[in-house]
Amino acid sequence: KKQNEIFLKYIQHKIPFVTLKYAMTLDGKIATSTKDSKWITNEKSRRFVHDLRHQHMAILVGVQTVIEDDPMLDTRRDVPSRNPIRVIIDPSLRTPVTARVVQTATSQKTIIATSNQVDPNQINMLESLGVQIMTFDTAHDIDFKALLIRLGQEGIDSLLVEGGARTHGHLLDLRLFDKVYAFIAPKLIGGLGTSPITGQGISQMQDAIHLNNIKIHTFDDDLCVEGYYKP
């Protein structure tokens, strides 16, 4: 089942297998108070993340990650690899046309999930640059259940979610994930840095989501906890 987990989930439910991935310091931060996050984990851990990108058909981030980090969200390995389809959660369509995910949309497919109430001219501009726009009936947050259904209809069988914290929080609140890779670096930064998952959260410890089939990976001095969510 583990070897075929993506195939089994997609065939049975017609929606992608969803993996949450994040990296944090030993005191639970994904960035400093000044938003600096490069790099929490070491090079060996980051190479493993590129293996994960190769294994998933699509990668998902929130628009704030695009604005703050301007990532490529591609796969960089020493052997031939596939680049994942990029999915951006952007209800207000704030993705800059100068962002690298937009400027390279003709060579690496990019999907932006947004509201059907945004400026049509902005949609036309992004589409002219090769971006695929998915609109949803919302003025604020994207309906993640509806998004997963749409992605499944596009033939996307797996989704690696790389944040940020608000996106992870939504998926956790809705229990719309299957697996977690949590990288932990032996570093302490203190202060008011950001935690890896926000959202509404859980009020009682007895209701906390418990991961199963735990496996611990080590990448030099980094740890990575791999686990599954089983409803």
Side-chain angles (χ1 to χ4, degrees):
K1 287 182 178 180
K2 179 178 173 62
Q3 188 174 10
N4 296 289
E5 59 194 11
I6 289 175
F7 172 79
L8 292 173
K9 167 74 179 291
Y10 184 68
I11 290 298
Q12 292 175 20
H13 301 284
K14 305 302 182 185
I15 61 175
F17 183 93
V18 178
T19 301
L20 304 186
K21 170 266 162 183
Y22 58 85
M24 65 182 185
T25 59
L26 199 57
D27 53 342
K29 306 295 196 307
I30 61 172
T32 68
S33 58
T34 61
K35 305 296 185 183
D36 182 36
S37 61
K38 292 183 174 56
W39 296 100
I40 291 175
T41 52
N42 61 36
E43 185 177 348
K44 189 176 288 187
S45 293
R46 298 197 297 274
R47 284 202 301 267
F48 182 72
V49 171
H50 285 280
D51 291 341
L52 294 178
R53 291 182 179 183
H54 170 70
Q55 294 163 15
H56 290 74
M57 188 174 291
I59 183 171
L60 181 145
V61 299
V63 64
Q64 199 61 36
T65 298
V66 173
I67 292 171
E68 292 178 0
D69 298 339
D70 193 21
M72 274 292 290
L73 303 177
D74 57 357
T75 303
R76 296 182 290 279
R77 299 165 82 227
D78 296 330
V79 294
S81 308
R82 70 173 178 183
N83 284 324
I85 296 168
R86 300 174 292 202
V87 182
I88 315 298
I89 303 297
D90 187 3
S92 301
L93 207 53
R94 296 187 295 130
T95 301
V97 295
T98 55
R100 294 198 290 175
V101 291
V102 173
Q103 293 297 313
T104 57
T106 55
S107 58
Q108 184 179 346
K109 185 173 180 178
T110 301
I111 298 171
I112 294 180
T114 190
S115 166
N116 60 5
Q117 300 177 30
V118 298
D119 184 357
N121 292 324
Q122 184 72 359
I123 291 178
N124 293 337
M125 172 65 74
L126 289 166
E127 287 181 334
S128 71
L129 294 171
V131 176
Q132 178 181 344
I133 302 294
M134 284 187 180
T135 58
F136 295 83
D137 187 14
T138 179
H140 301 290
D141 294 329
I142 299 298
D143 183 337
F144 275 88
K145 291 181 180 178
L147 173 61
L148 291 180
I149 291 171
R150 292 275 292 275
L151 294 177
Q153 292 170 345
E154 292 270 330
I156 295 173
D157 64 5
S158 51
L159 188 64
L160 179 64
V161 182
E162 292 200 22
R166 192 164 180 264
T167 301
H168 284 145
H170 279 307
L171 290 166
L172 183 139
D173 289 340
L174 296 169
R175 311 296 194 268
L176 290 176
F177 68 100
D178 302 284
K179 190 174 186 178
V180 174
Y181 283 96
F183 291 81
I184 305 166
K187 300 176 181 178
L188 300 167
I189 58 174
L192 299 175
T194 308
S195 68
I197 302 176
T198 55
Q200 295 178 355
I202 291 167
S203 59
Q204 299 295 319
M205 186 58 70
Q206 65 182 11
D207 298 324
I209 294 173
H210 190 84
L211 299 182
N212 300 291
N213 299 328
I214 296 297
K215 185 175 181 180
I216 307 296
H217 306 269
T218 58
F219 302 98
D220 291 335
D221 55 354
D222 287 352
L223 297 178
C224 176
V225 179
E226 173 189 351
Y228 292 83
Y229 168 58
K230 299 283 181 66

